[in-house]
Amino acid sequence: MFRLSEKTAGVFVISATPFCPDGSLDLEGTEQLLDFYVGCGVTGITILGVMGEANKMTDAESAKFAERALRHIGQRMPVIVGVTHSALTALRDLSHSVMDLGASGVMLQPASGLKGDEAVFRYFEQVFDAIGAGIPVVYQDFPQASNVHLSPAAWSRMVQEFPDLVMLKHEDCPGLPKLSKIRDMERQGIQRRVSILIGNNGLYFPQELHRGADGAMTGFAFPDVLVKVYDHFLAGRADVGEDLFDRYLPLNRYEQQLGFGLPVRKEILRRRGALRHATARKPVYRLTDTDFAEIDRLMARVER
């Protein structure tokens, strides 16, 4: 079984969750979506993240989708499951059930609105106490959604205190100085080295790789491109990788718009054959004819 560790690296894709036109969970389309991601050459897949609209799903739906996904690909590559929940009991139960099904680890954000380093630390102290030892945990540092600031000092304290905390999903923005600070503390022996995968749709991927990131974990609809960028970087061809990245940057940037990017992403995934339907759960922005025309132009530009 695959298991996350401090050495995990590569490109993980944040999976969309497929829905039918009526908004119901499209379990029948799950394999099609996951096989598309596998075909893109990704290192692993993360389900039930922000991109996966987990906050719009019932606990029962989350469990059903996780079971379907893990049974389909859990033996082929690492799968991380988002377990963020306001109730620690629900967070614990989902964590244990997905690990029993073959998940490689779980990912969660702090409770919304925590103020100060001490509050963040105490929250995760309760989380690790609730789920117990032995489950690898990814901290999703996404203050744009959680409204929680994670300082490098607070991160260092948690890394030292919680041995099952093995990865940081780095999505603070601007976040390049924080990434450099964390790697500096590791080099100085202040804390153990952990895996850092970047998010924010990979908008700053080349710069973050140069600063010590181990890869990406993002919902960009062209994960195969990020895989190639990463491979070029590992092979010592960073400039070649960045040139490739730059060709897709306008489309990437367009996808990343808050409150707008999700339906755009799902529409592109539908066009690429990954999704049977581009449906996103309400409440959601509804794409207009103008939006569709912009997507047409951006994708045509990429093809050229």
Side-chain angles (χ1 to χ4, degrees):
M1 184 180 73
F2 301 100
R3 203 167 185 84
L4 296 184
S5 75
E6 294 91 342
K7 297 181 179 180
T8 298
V11 175
F12 282 64
V13 63
I14 297 285
S15 174
T17 300
F19 295 109
C20 296
D22 64 0
S24 61
L25 191 61
D26 182 15
L27 287 175
E28 297 305 315
T30 299
E31 285 84 356
Q32 176 178 323
L33 173 64
L34 297 176
D35 288 343
F36 166 81
Y37 288 137
V38 172
C40 287
V42 297
T43 309
I45 297 177
T46 301
I47 61 173
L48 299 179
V50 174
M51 163 71 178
E53 302 174 79
N55 63 323
K56 300 178 184 177
M57 297 166 65
T58 67
D59 292 349
E61 286 175 324
S62 295
K64 284 181 180 179
F65 179 67
E67 180 178 4
R68 189 72 169 252
L70 287 164
R71 292 197 186 283
H72 189 61
I73 58 165
Q75 299 302 314
R76 287 189 275 168
M77 62 172 48
V79 179
I80 301 171
V81 182
V83 296
T84 300
H85 202 288
S86 58
L88 290 184
T89 51
L91 186 156
R92 176 201 63 204
D93 291 349
L94 182 57
S95 297
H96 283 255
S97 67
V98 298
M99 292 302 294
D100 289 343
L101 288 167
S104 303
V106 299
M107 180 175 73
L108 65 146
Q109 296 185 58
S112 180
L114 294 174
K115 301 298 181 185
D117 289 356
E118 186 67 17
V120 175
F121 179 85
R122 293 303 172 194
Y123 174 76
F124 273 87
E125 188 175 51
Q126 294 176 65
V127 166
F128 282 102
D129 183 61
I131 65 176
I135 296 180
V137 172
V138 180
Y139 182 112
Q140 184 175 10
D141 184 21
F142 190 30
Q144 301 92 308
S146 67
N147 197 30
V148 176
H149 174 70
L150 175 71
S151 72
W155 172 249
S156 179
R157 183 185 178 191
M158 288 196 293
V159 166
Q160 295 177 71
E161 187 69 23
F162 309 128
D164 289 325
L165 184 57
V166 299
M167 182 185 292
L168 176 67
K169 187 189 178 189
H170 174 61
E171 300 196 86
D172 201 352
C173 187
L176 291 172
K178 180 191 284 189
L179 176 54
S180 292
K181 177 65 175 177
I182 290 172
R183 288 306 191 214
D184 285 343
M185 291 191 296
E186 292 167 349
R187 282 189 287 268
Q188 294 168 23
I190 296 173
Q191 66 190 56
R192 63 186 165 94
R193 190 188 190 282
V194 297
S195 174
I196 299 179
L197 300 186
I198 60 87
N200 283 323
N201 226 39
L203 282 177
Y204 317 103
F205 193 28
Q207 292 74 37
E208 288 162 324
L209 285 172
H210 281 295
R211 290 188 183 231
D214 296 298
M217 187 194 299
T218 168
F220 184 39
F222 284 82
D224 40 336
V225 172
L226 296 184
V227 169
K228 291 175 184 176
V229 172
Y230 177 75
D231 289 346
H232 280 306
F233 186 88
L234 288 187
R237 301 186 298 268
D239 286 346
V240 176
E242 192 159 356
D243 288 344
L244 173 62
F245 176 86
D246 287 349
R247 288 181 216 153
Y248 286 80
L249 187 54
L251 184 59
N252 189 327
R253 181 183 59 197
Y254 189 75
E255 268 190 29
Q256 181 60 9
Q257 298 176 82
L258 292 176
F260 177 79
L262 174 64
V264 169
R265 234 174 252 153
K266 296 192 93 167
E267 170 62 16
I268 295 173
L269 287 170
R270 184 194 65 78
R271 295 184 184 199
R272 298 198 73 197
L275 289 172
R276 300 199 300 178
H277 316 287
T279 308
R281 277 244 171 119
K282 298 176 181 178
V284 67
Y285 175 81
R286 185 174 179 178
L287 296 177
T288 67
D289 290 343
T290 301
D291 301 327
F292 285 119
E294 284 176 345
I295 296 171
D296 291 340
R297 288 195 298 273
L298 284 165
M299 292 192 72
R301 183 175 187 269
V302 163
E303 288 300 318
R304 289 197 303 273

